mmCIF file of all heavy atoms in Angstrom:
data_model
loop_
_atom_site.group_PDB
_atom_site.id
_atom_site.type_symbol
_atom_site.label_atom_id
_atom_site.label_comp_id
_atom_site.label_asym_id
_atom_site.label_seq_id
_atom_site.Cartn_x
_atom_site.Cartn_y
_atom_site.Cartn_z
ATOM 1 N N VAL A 34 -99.785 -37.142 4.713
ATOM 2 C CA VAL A 34 -98.698 -37.278 3.756
ATOM 3 C C VAL A 34 -97.426 -36.854 4.472
ATOM 4 O O VAL A 34 -97.475 -36.260 5.544
ATOM 5 C CB VAL A 34 -98.936 -36.414 2.511
ATOM 6 C CG1 VAL A 34 -100.218 -36.790 1.795
ATOM 7 C CG2 VAL A 34 -98.934 -34.919 2.840
ATOM 8 N N LYS A 54 -88.761 -26.892 -2.806
ATOM 9 C CA LYS A 54 -89.996 -27.346 -3.455
ATOM 10 C C LYS A 54 -90.141 -26.807 -4.870
ATOM 11 O O LYS A 54 -91.014 -27.244 -5.610
ATOM 12 C CB LYS A 54 -91.236 -26.911 -2.644
ATOM 13 C CG LYS A 54 -91.693 -27.993 -1.650
ATOM 14 C CD LYS A 54 -93.041 -27.588 -1.017
ATOM 15 C CE LYS A 54 -94.238 -27.826 -1.894
ATOM 16 N NZ LYS A 54 -94.917 -29.098 -1.686
ATOM 17 N N ARG A 56 -91.517 -24.012 -5.575
ATOM 18 C CA ARG A 56 -92.853 -23.462 -5.653
ATOM 19 C C ARG A 56 -92.813 -22.151 -6.399
ATOM 20 O O ARG A 56 -92.122 -21.247 -6.017
ATOM 21 C CB ARG A 56 -93.370 -23.191 -4.256
ATOM 22 C CG ARG A 56 -94.213 -24.316 -3.765
ATOM 23 C CD ARG A 56 -95.166 -23.806 -2.672
ATOM 24 N NE ARG A 56 -95.969 -24.969 -2.251
ATOM 25 C CZ ARG A 56 -96.835 -24.979 -1.254
ATOM 26 N NH1 ARG A 56 -97.059 -23.878 -0.589
ATOM 27 N NH2 ARG A 56 -97.518 -26.039 -0.984
ATOM 28 N N PRO A 141 -95.257 -28.021 4.238
ATOM 29 C CA PRO A 141 -96.094 -28.392 3.111
ATOM 30 C C PRO A 141 -95.795 -29.855 2.770
ATOM 31 O O PRO A 141 -94.839 -30.434 3.295
ATOM 32 C CB PRO A 141 -95.638 -27.496 1.992
ATOM 33 C CG PRO A 141 -94.216 -27.228 2.301
ATOM 34 C CD PRO A 141 -94.039 -27.303 3.818
ATOM 35 N N SER A 142 -96.613 -30.460 1.903
ATOM 36 C CA SER A 142 -96.338 -31.819 1.473
ATOM 37 C C SER A 142 -94.939 -31.876 0.839
ATOM 38 O O SER A 142 -94.502 -30.933 0.155
ATOM 39 C CB SER A 142 -97.425 -32.277 0.518
ATOM 40 O OG SER A 142 -97.590 -31.304 -0.530
ATOM 41 N N ALA A 143 -94.235 -32.984 1.058
ATOM 42 C CA ALA A 143 -92.830 -33.100 0.671
ATOM 43 C C ALA A 143 -92.668 -33.544 -0.806
ATOM 44 O O ALA A 143 -92.000 -34.535 -1.031
ATOM 45 C CB ALA A 143 -92.097 -34.048 1.631
ATOM 46 N N ASN A 144 -93.283 -32.769 -1.664
ATOM 47 C CA ASN A 144 -93.112 -33.072 -3.094
ATOM 48 C C ASN A 144 -92.691 -31.798 -3.781
ATOM 49 O O ASN A 144 -92.941 -30.687 -3.253
ATOM 50 C CB ASN A 144 -94.430 -33.543 -3.688
ATOM 51 C CG ASN A 144 -95.555 -32.558 -3.364
ATOM 52 O OD1 ASN A 144 -96.065 -32.575 -2.243
ATOM 53 N ND2 ASN A 144 -95.932 -31.742 -4.319
ATOM 54 N N ARG A 148 -96.122 -32.020 -8.331
ATOM 55 C CA ARG A 148 -96.046 -33.471 -8.272
ATOM 56 C C ARG A 148 -96.899 -34.018 -7.107
ATOM 57 O O ARG A 148 -97.332 -33.261 -6.280
ATOM 58 C CB ARG A 148 -94.591 -33.910 -8.110
ATOM 59 C CG ARG A 148 -93.679 -33.141 -9.052
ATOM 60 C CD ARG A 148 -92.700 -33.966 -9.772
ATOM 61 N NE ARG A 148 -92.351 -35.214 -9.137
ATOM 62 C CZ ARG A 148 -91.367 -35.964 -9.535
ATOM 63 N NH1 ARG A 148 -90.646 -35.600 -10.544
ATOM 64 N NH2 ARG A 148 -91.071 -37.088 -8.909
ATOM 65 N N SER A 150 -98.244 -35.838 -3.740
ATOM 66 C CA SER A 150 -97.762 -35.829 -2.356
ATOM 67 C C SER A 150 -97.206 -37.214 -1.982
ATOM 68 O O SER A 150 -97.794 -38.227 -2.339
ATOM 69 C CB SER A 150 -98.865 -35.430 -1.398
ATOM 70 O OG SER A 150 -99.309 -34.142 -1.696
ATOM 71 N N GLU A 178 -104.027 -35.108 1.737
ATOM 72 C CA GLU A 178 -103.726 -33.985 2.630
ATOM 73 C C GLU A 178 -104.934 -33.685 3.537
ATOM 74 O O GLU A 178 -106.068 -33.997 3.196
ATOM 75 C CB GLU A 178 -103.403 -32.709 1.838
ATOM 76 C CG GLU A 178 -102.090 -32.824 1.072
ATOM 77 C CD GLU A 178 -102.299 -33.372 -0.322
ATOM 78 O OE1 GLU A 178 -103.393 -33.973 -0.599
ATOM 79 O OE2 GLU A 178 -101.381 -33.229 -1.147
ATOM 80 N N ARG A 194 -110.380 -26.806 1.752
ATOM 81 C CA ARG A 194 -109.849 -27.952 1.059
ATOM 82 C C ARG A 194 -110.473 -29.215 1.666
ATOM 83 O O ARG A 194 -110.492 -29.360 2.852
ATOM 84 C CB ARG A 194 -108.311 -28.019 1.199
ATOM 85 C CG ARG A 194 -107.669 -29.231 0.452
ATOM 86 C CD ARG A 194 -106.166 -29.171 0.441
ATOM 87 N NE ARG A 194 -105.593 -29.595 1.725
ATOM 88 C CZ ARG A 194 -104.304 -29.573 1.991
ATOM 89 N NH1 ARG A 194 -103.416 -29.176 1.091
ATOM 90 N NH2 ARG A 194 -103.859 -29.950 3.185
HETATM 91 MG MG1 LIG B 2 -99.184 -30.032 -1.455
#
Side-chain angles (χ1 to χ4, degrees):
V34 299
K54 267 188 78 94
R56 264 203 179 175
S142 51
N144 52 283
R148 315 226 334 190
S150 298
E178 295 88 345
R194 181 173 76 184

